[in-house]
Amino acid sequence: MLPSWKTHCCASLAIIAITGCAKDRTNDPLAQQKYLASERPDYANATEAKTPDILPRTYFAAGNLFESQGQIAKAIDQYRKAIAVNHDYAAAYHRHGRMLSVSNKHEEAAQALQKAVNLRPDVAMLHNDYGYELMHLERWAESEHHLRQATETDPKLARAHINLGLVLTRTNRFDEALQTFRTVLPETDARYNLGLLYLFAPSIPGMT
């Protein structure tokens, strides 16, 4: 029979041997990976998750930001993306058209603004901006129609009255033009505006 101290030592060695043979998976990267995959399947599939869709209003906000920074081409791209996702986004069509106009792409601008007007015919500013764009294309009758729509929808929209006066002047209806200017301008300014149309005709859309 072994002495008690020897029995104690052998028992200790046996415990050490058993624990030494067991593989500690917490220190084994491969074992950890398998453990996580079995316990939390979403961890294993995280890299395969679908990229979240970007909302139209996010593209629109980015367009507004680029526009405020004077980065017109980037603004146009963002508004175009907003429209591609939501074909009924009147505000995106509007800003898209305005930026195309600034870039002297008047045919494209008119198309975008027409879509905005079709979606929201109750908004005076849309009629005004579309009418102004039609002036660049010398489509006088259509321009006048939308500018009159703008003034009727919002009689206080001064720029619509001014733009309508430009169209009336271009079509040789000077008395009507003067009366239109008088709606939003003092008499002296109304007459002065009419005179400027002659003096600076080459720089005014459609004036030759």
Side-chain angles (χ1 to χ4, degrees), residues 22 25 42 58 76 99 102 128 147 151 189 194-196 201:
R25 68 182 178 182
D42 56 316
T58 303
I76 289 173
M99 293 304 96
V102 170
N128 174 75
L147 291 170
T151 59
D189 291 345
L194 195 60
L196 284 179

Side-chain angles (χ1 to χ4, degrees), residues 126-187:
L126 298 183
H127 285 285
N128 174 75
D129 289 355
Y130 182 40
Y132 181 76
E133 207 56 40
L134 292 170
M135 288 173 58
H136 281 281
L137 301 175
E138 299 187 8
R139 291 159 59 179
W140 305 114
E142 294 172 82
S143 177
E144 180 182 347
H145 169 74
H146 285 284
L147 291 170
R148 288 194 184 280
Q149 284 289 106
T151 59
E152 290 170 10
T153 303
D154 183 2
K156 295 181 179 180
L157 187 60
R159 68 180 67 182
H161 290 278
I162 298 298
N163 288 334
L164 178 57
L166 290 174
V167 172
L168 294 172
T169 301
R170 181 61 181 82
T171 52
N172 300 319
R173 292 142 71 187
F174 304 109
D175 289 340
E176 289 183 66
L178 182 59
Q179 187 58 42
T180 300
F181 289 142
R182 285 171 175 161
T183 306
V184 292
L185 297 172
E187 179 67 22

